[in-house]
Amino acid sequence: MASKCFSEEDFSCPVCCEIFKDPVVLSCSHSFCKDCIQRYWRSKGAQECPVCRRISTVDPPLNLVLKNLCESFLQERSERSSSVCHLHNEKLKLFCLDDQQPVCVVCRDSRTHNNHKFCPVDEAVDENKEKLRRALKPLQEKLRIFEKLKQNCDKTAEHIKIQSRRTETQIHKEFEELHQLLHDEESARIRALREEEEQKSQMMKEKIEKINRDISSLSHTIRGVEEQMTAEDVSFLQNLKSTLKRVQCGASDPENISGMMINVAKHLSNLKFTVIHKMKDNVQYMTLDPNTSHCKLLVSDDLISVRFSKDAADLIPDNPERFDVSQCVLGSESFSSGIHCWDVQVGDNTRWYLGVMTESAQRKNDIFSRTGLWCVCYYSGKYTAFITPQKTSRGLSVKEKVERIKVELDCDRGKLSFSDPLTNTHIHTFTHKFTEGLYPWFYVGSNISPLMILPVKSHQ
């Protein structure tokens, strides 16, 4: 060790007489603190060695060996100082159990430690290290919790960016679809207007042509009669009979035809309301909340379908709203009043659960042992109605495999009904007095095809 080979003088700078700090070595092999030699050179105005006066022409390099020796020397000196009693300069061999501090044999016999209990330092070290190890366990566990939370927060921060980008993309997509719907509706209405314009313009053209023929015929008749009226008396009288007949056989009276104008009211009346009402048929009534979906579930960008995915687990943070054990996801809105319907395409999936869950129901751990869940499920080829926390189940008699399920929730009357909308067949109805808001609830087995919510109008 450094202390066994060298004295403090060996590690002292010749300029400041203190232990070297960032020592540099000159070309003459003498070493100095970096700051000391630079101050000395500035005061002298020349780069000479303070010891031998030899001139150095280059910047002195750091003396790493000396620097490491100085650090070792300071550490050993600190350790020696800490193991010796400052009062009696004796080695600290005992530990005072009353004052909880190391003492020397002289301190033990002093009045300060009268009637105190002592033990050897090595015994105190072993005992207190074990005590600290036990005390550290809760802190280490808490540290692991914080580290896990930090990892999840980092994942959440990254997921927020991903969600924002995906949501922005979906907003653009859905507005493009709305723009396309509006464009198609505008084109259809302009086309209908043009067709009516063409039809009525043709009718008016034909009407004008007929009127022109009538005018031409009448003009010809009038000119003939007028010519007869200017003829000689005998000739006029000879042709009088035919002339009178010609006058009496003139064209019928002209008539205006109604309904020839463009039906402006038909094309413009309540236009915005009509278009919006028509667009509602293409609007999804109920969607899913991706922030609640289990880590192995993937919710589509348009929030209307969900499927099982083994690769999704590492991508989704474990936020408080998310199911962590059961492969579930909730609808985006809870219902506490009115009648609400949604159709779910279950297809040929072999395992699924559909129903409602209360707002206060816990989403962590095993949800099937908690309160607030009413559902119909399909598993192992059987249909079952299920309620928690009673865990009561009832087998359902369904003759044909169901591909689509209609769920109808009547909050005010306390009814939750399930049916097959394709065959209009009732499956099961729960009756319960619901006292809080209910979320649509979906459980997805390890299926290949997704569960999909189909557009259904609400009945408010």
Side-chain angles (χ1 to χ4, degrees):
M1 301 293 287
S3 61
K4 294 180 179 179
C5 303
F6 304 97
S7 65
E8 182 173 342
E9 185 179 351
D10 295 317
F11 299 105
S12 298
C13 171
V15 176
C16 66
C17 299
E18 299 289 341
I19 302 298
F20 285 109
K21 294 180 179 178
D22 297 326
V24 294
V25 58
L26 305 186
S27 57
C28 59
S29 299
H30 290 121
S31 295
F32 305 90
C33 296
K34 183 178 181 180
D35 289 341
C36 292
I37 191 63
Q38 289 178 348
R39 283 197 301 270
Y40 178 80
W41 284 347
R42 283 195 297 269
S43 66
K44 294 290 290 183
Q47 293 189 190
E48 66 176 24
C49 174
V51 177
C52 66
R53 308 301 178 184
R54 183 175 174 180
I55 300 297
S56 295
T57 58
V58 296
D59 290 336
L62 183 66
N63 192 338
L64 290 176
V65 175
L66 181 58
K67 184 176 185 295
N68 292 335
L69 287 172
C70 289
E71 290 176 353
S72 298
F73 176 78
L74 289 172
Q75 183 177 356
E76 290 179 12
R77 188 174 70 176
S78 175
E79 291 175 353
R80 287 196 305 271
S81 175
S82 63
S83 62
V84 175
C85 178
H86 298 295
L87 296 176
H88 309 108
N89 204 27
E90 294 286 338
K91 196 167 184 180
L92 300 172
K93 295 183 178 181
L94 300 174
F95 183 74
C96 178
L97 299 176
D98 295 270
D99 292 336
Q100 291 289 297
Q101 64 179 16
V103 296
C104 68
V105 291
V106 179
C107 292
R108 177 192 61 186
D109 299 329
S110 66
R111 292 181 180 179
T112 305
H113 296 279
N114 188 30
N115 295 324
H116 286 188
K117 294 181 179 180
F118 303 88
C119 71
V121 166
D122 56 352
E123 290 184 10
V125 168
D126 293 340
E127 181 180 347
N128 283 283
K129 280 186 177 180
E130 179 60 30
K131 184 185 297 183
L132 283 175
R133 274 192 288 269
R134 291 194 298 269
L136 274 176
K137 284 184 178 180
L139 295 179
Q140 291 169 339
E141 179 62 28
K142 186 172 289 186
L143 176 61
R144 283 192 290 271
I145 293 173
F146 273 105
E147 288 175 343
K148 185 177 180 181
L149 180 61
K150 169 67 165 51
Q151 292 175 356
N152 195 60
C153 287
D154 291 339
K155 189 183 292 186
T156 301
E158 183 61 29
H159 192 65
I160 288 171
K161 296 178 181 178
I162 294 172
Q163 280 187 310
S164 179
R165 290 194 294 270
R166 286 180 177 173
T167 304
E168 182 177 347
T169 300
Q170 189 62 26
I171 288 172
H172 287 308
K173 180 181 177 182
E174 298 214 1
F175 269 96
E176 285 175 2
E177 291 176 357
L178 290 174
H179 294 158
Q180 188 61 46
L181 286 171
L182 288 172
H183 177 73
D184 293 345
E185 183 66 22
E186 178 186 10
S187 298
R189 287 178 174 271
I190 295 296
R191 188 165 54 252
L193 175 62
R194 294 285 181 258
E195 289 174 356
E196 183 179 355
E197 178 191 12
E198 184 178 353
Q199 178 188 11
K200 292 188 174 179
S201 294
Q202 181 63 31
M203 292 173 63
M204 189 53 62
K205 180 182 178 182
E206 294 173 357
K207 176 68 174 174
I208 292 172
E209 289 176 352
K210 183 178 183 303
I211 291 174
N212 286 334
R213 289 194 299 271
D214 289 340
I215 290 173
S216 177
S217 177
L218 284 173
S219 297
H220 180 70
T221 300
I222 291 171
R223 284 195 300 272
V225 171
E226 288 176 343
E227 288 175 359
Q228 286 297 321
M229 290 175 66
T230 60
E232 294 181 357
D233 294 343
V234 174
S235 177
F236 169 73
L237 293 175
Q238 286 177 338
N239 294 313
L240 179 60
K241 185 177 181 180
S242 60
T243 301
L244 289 173
K245 184 177 180 180
R246 188 176 182 181
V247 171
Q248 292 170 355
C249 293
S252 58
D253 293 338
E255 59 178 343
N256 286 323
I257 303 175
S258 63
M260 294 301 293
M261 303 295 289
I262 293 293
N263 192 348
V264 177
K266 171 187 173 183
H267 296 288
L268 293 181
S269 180
N270 295 322
L271 177 60
K272 294 178 181 178
F273 174 81
T274 305
V275 173
I276 291 173
H277 192 270
K278 188 173 182 179
M279 290 177 67
K280 286 178 65 177
D281 293 338
N282 297 300
V283 174
Q284 193 69 31
Y285 169 56
M286 199 268 288
T287 56
L288 302 171
D289 182 358
N291 292 336
T292 66
S293 66
H294 183 269
C295 63
K296 289 187 179 180
L297 299 183
L298 278 182
V299 176
S300 62
D301 290 339
D302 55 8
L303 309 182
I304 64 172
S305 67
V306 57
R307 64 181 177 86
F308 175 82
S309 173
K310 294 180 180 178
D311 301 328
D314 295 334
L315 305 176
I316 301 176
D318 183 22
N319 48 295
E321 302 88 352
R322 193 176 306 282
F323 291 96
D324 63 346
V325 173
S326 302
Q327 294 171 195
C328 306
V329 63
L330 296 179
S332 58
E333 182 182 359
S334 66
F335 306 120
S336 57
S337 63
I339 300 174
H340 308 270
C341 296
W342 56 96
D343 283 9
V344 183
Q345 186 76 32
V346 296
D348 57 355
N349 289 317
T350 57
R351 186 180 184 187
W352 49 261
Y353 294 66
L354 300 175
V356 296
M357 174 182 274
T358 58
E359 292 177 341
S360 62
Q362 295 296 317
R363 303 173 192 177
K364 301 299 183 182
N365 302 318
D366 180 16
I367 64 168
F368 292 102
S369 62
R370 310 293 180 87
T371 186
L373 181 61
W374 295 261
C375 67
V376 163
C377 65
Y378 176 72
Y379 185 54
S380 299
K382 297 179 180 179
Y383 294 88
T384 306
F386 191 82
I387 305 176
T388 65
Q390 298 87 347
K391 288 188 176 181
T392 56
S393 60
R394 173 185 173 186
L396 302 176
S397 177
V398 179
K399 295 181 180 180
E400 297 182 1
K401 192 174 186 299
V402 179
E403 295 184 359
R404 184 183 297 182
I405 295 286
K406 177 184 287 295
V407 184
E408 182 170 352
L409 172 64
D410 188 336
C411 299
D412 302 325
R413 297 176 61 191
K415 287 188 176 183
L416 176 65
S417 300
F418 299 82
S419 61
D420 181 351
L422 299 179
T423 61
N424 199 26
T425 304
H426 175 260
I427 296 175
H428 185 71
T429 296
F430 292 103
T431 302
H432 183 82
K433 184 178 181 181
F434 302 116
T435 57
E436 60 177 298
L438 299 167
Y439 281 103
W441 175 83
F442 307 80
Y443 178 96
V444 184
S446 301
N447 302 319
I448 298 177
S449 57
L451 296 185
M452 181 178 294
I453 305 171
L454 304 175
V456 175
K457 293 181 180 180
S458 65
H459 304 279
Q460 296 294 342

